[in-house]
PDB file of all heavy atoms in Angstrom:
ATOM      1  N   PHE A1215     -85.881 -21.893 103.068  1.00 89.00           N
ATOM      2  CA  PHE A1215     -84.908 -21.954 101.967  1.00 89.00           C
ATOM      3  C   PHE A1215     -84.412 -20.589 101.633  1.00 89.00           C
ATOM      4  O   PHE A1215     -84.899 -19.655 101.958  1.00 89.00           O
ATOM      5  CB  PHE A1215     -85.661 -22.422 100.655  1.00 89.00           C
ATOM      6  CG  PHE A1215     -86.199 -23.892 100.703  1.00 89.00           C
ATOM      7  CD1 PHE A1215     -87.520 -23.995 101.177  1.00 89.00           C
ATOM      8  CD2 PHE A1215     -85.414 -24.960 100.674  1.00 89.00           C
ATOM      9  CE1 PHE A1215     -88.041 -25.228 101.308  1.00 89.00           C
ATOM     10  CE2 PHE A1215     -85.821 -26.269 100.851  1.00 89.00           C
ATOM     11  CZ  PHE A1215     -87.223 -26.381 101.165  1.00 89.00           C
ATOM     12  N   THR A1216     -83.266 -20.523 100.942  1.00 90.00           N
ATOM     13  CA  THR A1216     -82.537 -19.274 100.502  1.00 90.00           C
ATOM     14  C   THR A1216     -83.562 -18.635  99.501  1.00 90.00           C
ATOM     15  O   THR A1216     -84.410 -19.342  98.830  1.00 90.00           O
ATOM     16  CB  THR A1216     -81.257 -19.511  99.843  1.00 90.00           C
ATOM     17  OG1 THR A1216     -81.432 -20.147  98.638  1.00 90.00           O
ATOM     18  CG2 THR A1216     -80.324 -20.191 100.782  1.00 90.00           C
ATOM     19  N   PRO A1217     -83.533 -17.401  99.087  1.00 92.00           N
ATOM     20  CA  PRO A1217     -84.186 -16.752  98.204  1.00 92.00           C
ATOM     21  C   PRO A1217     -84.189 -17.501  96.735  1.00 92.00           C
ATOM     22  O   PRO A1217     -85.077 -17.605  96.096  1.00 92.00           O
ATOM     23  CB  PRO A1217     -83.798 -15.259  98.037  1.00 92.00           C
ATOM     24  CG  PRO A1217     -83.206 -15.065  99.386  1.00 92.00           C
ATOM     25  CD  PRO A1217     -82.626 -16.339  99.855  1.00 92.00           C
ATOM     26  N   GLU A1218     -82.883 -17.846  96.424  1.00 92.00           N
ATOM     27  CA  GLU A1218     -82.698 -18.542  95.134  1.00 92.00           C
ATOM     28  C   GLU A1218     -83.427 -19.875  95.114  1.00 92.00           C
ATOM     29  O   GLU A1218     -84.112 -20.167  94.121  1.00 92.00           O
ATOM     30  CB  GLU A1218     -81.220 -18.629  94.809  1.00 92.00           C
ATOM     31  CG  GLU A1218     -80.965 -19.267  93.492  1.00 92.00           C
ATOM     32  CD  GLU A1218     -79.518 -19.446  93.295  1.00 92.00           C
ATOM     33  OE1 GLU A1218     -78.782 -18.378  93.452  1.00 92.00           O
ATOM     34  OE2 GLU A1218     -79.070 -20.454  92.807  1.00 92.00           O
ATOM     35  N   GLU A1219     -83.357 -20.673  96.206  1.00 91.00           N
ATOM     36  CA  GLU A1219     -83.906 -21.940  96.246  1.00 91.00           C
ATOM     37  C   GLU A1219     -85.492 -21.758  96.273  1.00 91.00           C
ATOM     38  O   GLU A1219     -86.139 -22.599  95.650  1.00 91.00           O
ATOM     39  CB  GLU A1219     -83.515 -22.658  97.546  1.00 91.00           C
ATOM     40  CG  GLU A1219     -82.080 -23.043  97.649  1.00 91.00           C
ATOM     41  CD  GLU A1219     -81.664 -23.684  98.871  1.00 91.00           C
ATOM     42  OE1 GLU A1219     -82.365 -23.268  99.948  1.00 91.00           O
ATOM     43  OE2 GLU A1219     -80.727 -24.357  99.013  1.00 91.00           O
ATOM     44  N   ALA A1220     -85.987 -20.787  96.952  1.00 91.00           N
ATOM     45  CA  ALA A1220     -87.406 -20.494  97.064  1.00 91.00           C
ATOM     46  C   ALA A1220     -87.974 -20.253  95.660  1.00 91.00           C
ATOM     47  O   ALA A1220     -89.019 -20.861  95.242  1.00 91.00           O
ATOM     48  CB  ALA A1220     -87.715 -19.360  98.042  1.00 91.00           C
ATOM     49  N   ARG A1221     -87.218 -19.362  94.839  1.00 92.00           N
ATOM     50  CA  ARG A1221     -87.664 -19.000  93.641  1.00 92.00           C
ATOM     51  C   ARG A1221     -87.686 -20.252  92.662  1.00 92.00           C
ATOM     52  O   ARG A1221     -88.546 -20.417  91.882  1.00 92.00           O
ATOM     53  CB  ARG A1221     -86.849 -17.903  93.078  1.00 92.00           C
ATOM     54  CG  ARG A1221     -87.002 -17.593  91.770  1.00 92.00           C
ATOM     55  CD  ARG A1221     -87.641 -16.308  91.230  1.00 92.00           C
ATOM     56  NE  ARG A1221     -88.062 -15.257  92.019  1.00 92.00           N
ATOM     57  CZ  ARG A1221     -89.356 -14.844  92.142  1.00 92.00           C
ATOM     58  NH1 ARG A1221     -90.285 -15.333  91.364  1.00 92.00           N
ATOM     59  NH2 ARG A1221     -89.666 -13.820  92.862  1.00 92.00           N
ATOM     60  N   THR A1222     -86.580 -20.995  92.751  1.00 92.00           N
ATOM     61  CA  THR A1222     -86.625 -22.220  91.984  1.00 92.00           C
ATOM     62  C   THR A1222     -87.626 -23.142  92.210  1.00 92.00           C
ATOM     63  O   THR A1222     -88.367 -23.662  91.316  1.00 92.00           O
ATOM     64  CB  THR A1222     -85.163 -22.948  92.170  1.00 92.00           C
ATOM     65  OG1 THR A1222     -84.164 -22.059  91.786  1.00 92.00           O
ATOM     66  CG2 THR A1222     -84.996 -24.259  91.412  1.00 92.00           C
ATOM     67  N   GLN A1223     -87.876 -23.420  93.567  1.00 90.00           N
ATOM     68  CA  GLN A1223     -89.004 -24.396  93.857  1.00 90.00           C
ATOM     69  C   GLN A1223     -90.321 -23.888  93.459  1.00 90.00           C
ATOM     70  O   GLN A1223     -91.099 -24.625  92.941  1.00 90.00           O
ATOM     71  CB  GLN A1223     -88.951 -24.636  95.489  1.00 90.00           C
ATOM     72  CG  GLN A1223     -87.806 -25.496  95.858  1.00 90.00           C
ATOM     73  CD  GLN A1223     -87.850 -26.088  97.069  1.00 90.00           C
ATOM     74  OE1 GLN A1223     -88.999 -26.264  97.621  1.00 90.00           O
ATOM     75  NE2 GLN A1223     -86.835 -26.323  97.718  1.00 90.00           N
ATOM     76  N   LEU A1224     -90.624 -22.616  93.688  1.00 93.00           N
ATOM     77  CA  LEU A1224     -91.921 -22.029  93.255  1.00 93.00           C
ATOM     78  C   LEU A1224     -92.079 -22.191  91.724  1.00 93.00           C
ATOM     79  O   LEU A1224     -93.117 -22.403  91.232  1.00 93.00           O
ATOM     80  CB  LEU A1224     -92.159 -20.676  93.840  1.00 93.00           C
ATOM     81  CG  LEU A1224     -93.404 -20.006  93.399  1.00 93.00           C
ATOM     82  CD1 LEU A1224     -94.653 -20.899  94.017  1.00 93.00           C
ATOM     83  CD2 LEU A1224     -93.506 -18.441  93.932  1.00 93.00           C
ATOM     84  N   GLY A1225     -91.006 -21.793  91.045  1.00 92.00           N
ATOM     85  CA  GLY A1225     -90.929 -21.923  89.572  1.00 92.00           C
ATOM     86  C   GLY A1225     -91.327 -23.298  89.020  1.00 92.00           C
ATOM     87  O   GLY A1225     -92.176 -23.294  88.131  1.00 92.00           O
ATOM     88  N   ILE A1226     -90.707 -24.226  89.600  1.00 90.00           N
ATOM     89  CA  ILE A1226     -90.971 -25.592  89.281  1.00 90.00           C
ATOM     90  C   ILE A1226     -92.485 -26.032  89.576  1.00 90.00           C
ATOM     91  O   ILE A1226     -93.196 -26.621  88.776  1.00 90.00           O
ATOM     92  CB  ILE A1226     -90.012 -26.537  89.986  1.00 90.00           C
ATOM     93  CG1 ILE A1226     -88.563 -26.392  89.378  1.00 90.00           C
ATOM     94  CG2 ILE A1226     -90.438 -28.073  89.733  1.00 90.00           C
ATOM     95  CD1 ILE A1226     -87.579 -27.130  90.172  1.00 90.00           C
TER      96      ILE A1226
END
Side-chain angles (χ1 to χ4, degrees):
F1215 300 98
T1216 67
E1218 182 179 314
E1219 291 169 338
R1221 169 108 6 235
T1222 297
Q1223 289 196 27
L1224 183 59
I1226 291 169

